[in-house]
Amino acid sequence: MARTTYDELLEAGVHFGHLTRKWDPKMSQYIFMERNGIHIIDLNKTLTKVEEAAAAIKQIVKSGRKVLFVATKKQAKDIVAEYSKGVNMPFITERWLGGMLTNFATVRKSIKKMSNIDKLTKDGTYSNLSKKERLMIHRERIKLETLLGGIADLNRLPAALFLIDVKKEHIAVSEALKLNIPTFAMVDTNSDPSNIDFPIPANDDATKSISLITGIIIKAIEEGLEERKREKEDEAEKEAAQAKAKVDAPEAAAPAVAVEGKRTRKVAVEAEAAVADEKPAADTEE
C-alpha cells in the first residue's frame, strides 16, 4: 500500500517550488513545469522518492539505530519537535552548533553538564547556593536545554539525518558527508540535491507540506520500531522454548534408561535359566 497519494500531495501544496530566478539547475530533473514565474515540482517523482526514503529509514530504525531530525526554520521546528518526541527520536530545532557531529565528544560533555545541573537540583545542593549562583546556573540550564534538549538521550552518533531545507542546514549536511552518515531531506527547487542520499523533492516552506512528508517518514519509523519489537519477542519465545526443551530432555531420557536396564536384567535372567536347564541333560548323557 502506498504511503501517500498524488491528491494528498497536491492538497498539501507539495508541488509549489520557488521563483524561477531562484532555482538550482541541479533540481531540473524534479521540475515538471513553470507557471507564473514559479517552478512546479513533479509529484510523480516526489511519490517515488518519498517511498524510497521511507523504506530505507524503516530498515535503519529496525536495526535499532537512531535518526536525527534537523529543522531550524520557523515553519518546521514545532512540527518536527512534536513528531520526533512521539517516536523517541533525537531532534535539533533551534540552532545547529558547528561540530555537533564532527566534534560529538564535546557536545556530549555539554549534555552531561546539563544532567549534572539536574542532579544538583534533586539532591538539595542547588538550594544551598547563593541567589546569584542559582540564577546563573538556571540561565545556563535553560540555554543548554534550548540548544541540546532534543539530543539529551543521544549517546552516540546518529545512523542517519532527516533535514528540512538543505540550503539552510548546509553545515549539518557537510558534517554528515564527512562522517559518511546517510542523509534524507526535503529539497525545494532552490536547493542542491546532489549531496543528499535520499532527496525528496517537495515544498519545504509550507507547513502542510512539511507536516505531510515528515508524517510519512515518522510512520515508516513507527513501522520499523514495531517490527523490531516483534522480532525481539519472537526471539525471546524461541529462546524460552529451547531452554524448556533442554530441561525436559534429561527427564524424558531417564525413564527410557530405566526401561532399558530392566530389559537387560530380564535377558540376563532368562539366559541363566537356559544354562541351568541344559546342565542336567548333559550329565544324563554321560
Side-chain angles (χ1 to χ4, degrees):
M1 183 180 174
R3 297 179 187 276
T4 187
T5 63
Y6 190 92
D7 290 337
E8 282 180 346
L9 294 173
L10 200 64
E11 190 180 341
V14 175
H15 58 296
F16 290 118
H18 281 265
L19 294 170
T20 52
R21 60 188 170 82
K22 291 185 177 180
W23 82 310
D24 190 309
K26 291 178 182 177
M27 277 294 291
S28 59
Q29 58 181 315
Y30 302 118
I31 294 172
F32 177 64
M33 63 180 290
E34 177 204 331
R35 182 180 291 173
N36 300 327
I38 295 172
H39 276 131
I40 303 299
I41 295 166
D42 188 344
L43 291 183
N44 290 314
K45 291 191 175 176
T46 302
L47 277 170
T48 304
K49 289 295 181 179
V50 80
E51 288 286 341
E52 287 177 7
I57 220 160
K58 178 183 171 181
Q59 291 304 314
I60 289 171
V61 174
K62 191 178 172 182
S63 67
R65 294 174 293 170
K66 296 279 187 182
V67 177
L68 176 61
F69 285 75
V70 184
T72 59
K73 68 193 304 178
K74 188 178 178 182
Q75 306 95 305
K77 57 169 67 178
D78 291 337
I79 296 168
V80 169
E82 186 183 345
Y83 275 133
S84 303
K85 287 175 185 175
V87 290
N88 197 28
M89 288 292 161
F91 61 91
I92 296 292
T93 55
E94 285 305 317
R95 183 165 66 89
W96 182 272
L97 300 174
M100 194 167 278
L101 295 179
T102 51
N103 197 13
F104 189 67
T106 304
V107 174
R108 282 298 306 160
K109 286 178 184 176
S110 298
I111 293 170
K112 192 174 180 181
K113 191 175 184 180
M114 188 167 62
S115 63
N116 288 338
I117 292 172
D118 292 338
K119 284 178 185 176
L120 287 176
T121 310
K122 288 177 183 176
D123 63 16
T125 310
Y126 184 75
S127 56
N128 295 329
L129 299 172
S130 67
K131 188 176 179 181
K132 187 178 179 180
E133 285 175 324
R134 286 203 304 270
L135 184 61
M136 286 174 65
I137 290 171
H138 180 65
R139 284 176 179 168
E140 189 174 12
R141 176 69 178 79
I142 291 171
K143 185 181 177 182
L144 289 170
E145 176 64 35
T146 303
L147 293 172
L148 305 171
I151 59 169
D153 297 327
L154 190 65
N155 298 318
R156 58 178 180 171
L157 286 170
L161 261 65
F162 178 79
L163 309 107
I164 310 291
D165 193 344
V166 295
K167 196 169 185 179
K168 186 174 178 63
E169 313 300 347
H170 64 279
I171 300 173
V173 173
S174 63
E175 288 190 29
L177 277 170
K178 285 178 184 176
L179 298 171
N180 294 320
I181 296 173
T183 49
F184 299 75
M186 289 177 69
V187 289
D188 212 328
T189 55
N190 67 334
S191 306
D192 179 5
S194 60
N195 292 326
I196 305 300
D197 297 296
F198 294 89
I200 303 169
N203 179 356
D204 63 12
D205 292 309
T207 53
K208 280 188 177 180
S209 174
I210 294 166
S211 183
L212 177 63
I213 300 298
T214 307
I216 293 166
I217 297 299
I218 291 294
K219 195 171 181 182
I221 288 173
E222 286 173 348
E223 289 172 9
L225 291 170
E226 187 61 34
E227 285 187 18
R228 179 173 170 77
K229 185 181 175 183
R230 281 202 302 270
E231 282 182 3
K232 278 190 171 181
E233 287 173 355
D234 292 343
E235 194 176 328
E237 285 177 10
K238 194 182 286 183
E239 286 176 0
Q242 288 174 351
K244 190 175 182 299
K246 285 179 181 178
V247 171
D248 294 344
E251 292 177 1
V257 170
V259 170
E260 189 63 33
K262 286 180 182 178
R263 285 179 184 167
T264 306
R265 286 196 296 274
K266 186 179 178 184
V267 170
V269 169
E270 288 176 354
E272 287 176 4
V275 170
D277 290 342
E278 286 175 4
K279 279 183 180 178
D283 293 340
T284 308
E285 284 178 7
E286 286 178 3

